[in-house]
């Protein structure tokens, strides 16, 4: 699994950080840092974090190469 975050769209609400702290973290006060290639065992956690993003800035790229935006 590959994660891509549109950092221009991200507003630093940090909902993803609360739901998947092993993957997403705040660097400084508002800069988001993240693990772009987390283990597939964390897929559900990452999907929930992406769905919680108020501005839908997180994309999850599946193993088959299909990219999709996760919406809540």
């Amino acid at each position: 699994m590959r994660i891509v975050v549109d950092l221009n769209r991200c507003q630093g609400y940090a909902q993803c950080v609360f739901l998947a702290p092993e993957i997403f973290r705040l660097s400084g006060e508002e800069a988001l840092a993240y693990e772009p290639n987390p283990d597939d065992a964390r897929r559900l956690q990452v999907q929930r974090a992406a769905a919680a993003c108020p501005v839908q800035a997180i994309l999850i790229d599946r193993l088959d190469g299909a990219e999709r935006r996760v919406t809540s």
Side-chain angles (χ1 to χ4, degrees), residues 10-64:
C10 177
Q11 297 294 307
Y13 292 109
Q15 297 303 308
C16 57
V17 175
F18 296 119
L19 292 167
E22 300 85 8
I23 309 302
F24 302 96
R25 61 197 166 285
L26 287 180
S27 177
E29 290 189 27
E30 292 184 2
L32 182 69
Y34 63 98
E35 169 60 44
N37 298 103
D39 188 279
D40 273 345
R42 301 226 184 261
R43 180 173 292 279
L44 182 59
Q45 187 180 27
V46 170
Q47 288 174 328
R48 287 179 177 164
C53 180
V55 295
Q56 301 175 359
I58 302 170
L59 294 172
I60 301 170
D61 191 11
R62 299 184 313 220
L63 291 177
D64 63 5

